[in-house]
Every structure is written in structure tokens, then in C-alpha cells.
Amino acid sequence: QIALRLTALLTGRGDVVTGVVRNPDHRGDVEAAGGTALVRDLETVDATDLAEHLVGADAVVFAAGAGPTSGAPRKDTVDRAASVLLADAAALAGVQRYVQVSAINVDEEPDASRGDVWVAYVHAKRAADEALRATSLDWTILRPGRLTDDPGVGQVLLAPSVPYGSITRDDVAAVLAALLDAPGTIGQTLELVEGDDDVLAAVAAIALPPSRDDAGDEPVSPQDTAAAGPGEEGPRD
């Protein structure tokens, strides 16, 4: 799962990561990746409770999903509502940086012939992105293409719009880690598939330069703490 891969990358570079999981049985997965597990169900927990565990974090990453075997109702309660909840909690905790994993092409109307669950999934992801854009958080939305479990290759295509394609979960995690260090991507919605660009170069190329007002600010340091949501992505193909 993307969240676990991201946890391993961040802790490997010295960050402190808290991974939110619904199932206590998954605590060991987070710990094996180097993180600390927080057992909370994003479908039932309230934002105030969650915010208490986000205080002091530099960033929050939403990488949750109801999973490919869930029905249409949980596409809304997890893929949309849990994102909104986590954003509310981040705001309460004073955590400005928020990176969200969405999905490619969710602004297009879904193919109804693929069934009600697919339609609900696309609508939920689109609504989650729209809700995040309406907040005052320093958000970046990443929309990967069809996810695979192949080993990462470190070569990607990252842009506001890209042709439909696939991307490894390893490479999605690598791009997420790079986005956390790239304030120039704040306010951008980016699509991601396999490509020819090195991950760091791809993120650097898409990052906007600081505005004149910000030119004298201190550079952003690497994240000391990141809170990642559960990594049960929904279907992407």
C-alpha cells in the first residue's frame, strides 16, 4: 500500500511518521515500516479527537480508500468523508501542509457501464478534491494513474494533465515524499503516470518559484513529522 511505502521512505530519511489505521491488526505493518500506528476509524472518529494526535506534525498525507471490495456507500464515507475529516483535524491541529492522493480522470464523468460502485468511487474522489481546494490548507492533490505493485523505476510523468497510464505504488510514494519538500506545488492538482523524468527532477520542474513576497522567507526544511492515513486505495483501473 502507498501509505506504508511512504512511511518507509520518510522514516528512512529521519522523519517521524504516525500512520492512522482502522484495523488494529495493521499496527504491525506500520511499525515494520518504521512508523508509529494510531488506531482510529476515520468513519467514526471525530475531528477533535484526531486533531489531538496531529499537533506538532509538519504535514498530513491522505492516502486512504475504502478498498476495491467495498460497496458504493463506503466510497463516500471513506474516499470523500474521511478526507474532509482529516482536513478538518489538520486545521484544528494547526497543520497547514496537506497532500492528498486522489485518482486520475476523476473530473470526467465515470463510465456508468462499469457499475454503481465505480461511479460512486469517482464521484467521491472528485468531491474530496473539491472540498480540499475550498480549505485554507496548503494542499497539493496527486492523481496517479492505474496502480501496480511492480517495483518502482523512479521515472515518472508529472503534470496537471497527462495521458492515462499506469504507475507503481513505489513511485507514487516517492513522488509524495518529494512533494512534501516542495512548497512550490502548494495549490496544484497533479496527475502522475510512468514516464521519463527522475522523480526529484519531475517535482522540481512542476514546482512554482516563490512569489516576490515570499522570496525572503526561510526555505522549508525536511518534514520532522508526517501523519499518513490508511493505505487502502480504491480501484484505479
Side-chain angles (χ1 to χ4, degrees), residues 82-100:
S83 164
V84 173
L85 171 76
L86 192 58
D88 288 344
L92 288 172
V95 183
Q96 275 296 114
R97 189 72 171 109
Y98 193 105
V99 178
Q100 176 152 291

Side-chain angles (χ1 to χ4, degrees), residues 179-212:
L179 290 174
L180 289 171
D181 295 333
T185 63
I186 290 170
Q188 294 198 56
T189 300
L190 303 169
E191 295 183 348
L192 176 69
V193 293
E194 293 177 2
D196 298 323
D197 299 326
D198 172 80
V199 167
L200 294 180
V203 172
I206 204 70
L208 300 174
S211 67
R212 183 173 301 175

Side-chain angles (χ1 to χ4, degrees), residues 50-57 92-95 225:
L50 199 55
E52 294 177 1
H53 301 276
L54 301 182
V55 173
L92 288 172
V95 183
T225 307

Side-chain angles (χ1 to χ4, degrees), residues 95-131:
V95 183
Q96 275 296 114
R97 189 72 171 109
Y98 193 105
V99 178
Q100 176 152 291
V101 179
S102 180
I104 198 169
N105 292 340
V106 296
D107 286 334
E108 301 176 7
E109 276 305 304
D111 180 359
S113 69
R114 300 187 63 174
D116 293 343
V117 173
W118 176 255
V119 171
Y121 169 74
V122 172
H123 286 168
K125 283 296 185 187
R126 181 194 305 165
D129 291 351
E130 291 172 349

Side-chain angles (χ1 to χ4, degrees), residues 53-96:
H53 301 276
L54 301 182
V55 173
D58 295 306
V60 171
V61 178
F62 182 80
T69 61
S70 63
R74 294 198 69 228
K75 301 305 180 189
D76 182 71
T77 58
V78 178
D79 291 275
R80 181 197 63 81
S83 164
V84 173
L85 171 76
L86 192 58
D88 288 344
L92 288 172
V95 183
Q96 275 296 114

Side-chain angles (χ1 to χ4, degrees), residues 144-227:
R146 184 178 64 85
L147 297 171
T148 77
D149 287 319
D150 296 334
V153 296
Q155 302 291 311
V156 301
L157 175 60
L158 178 70
S161 179
V162 302
Y164 185 82
S166 62
I167 184 74
T168 72
R169 288 177 169 87
D170 285 344
D171 287 332
V172 175
V175 170
L176 288 170
L179 290 174
L180 289 171
D181 295 333
T185 63
I186 290 170
Q188 294 198 56
T189 300
L190 303 169
E191 295 183 348
L192 176 69
V193 293
E194 293 177 2
D196 298 323
D197 299 326
D198 172 80
V199 167
L200 294 180
V203 172
I206 204 70
L208 300 174
S211 67
R212 183 173 301 175
D213 291 340
D214 295 334
D217 290 348
E218 294 279 338
V220 174
S221 62
Q223 310 302 309
D224 295 323
T225 307

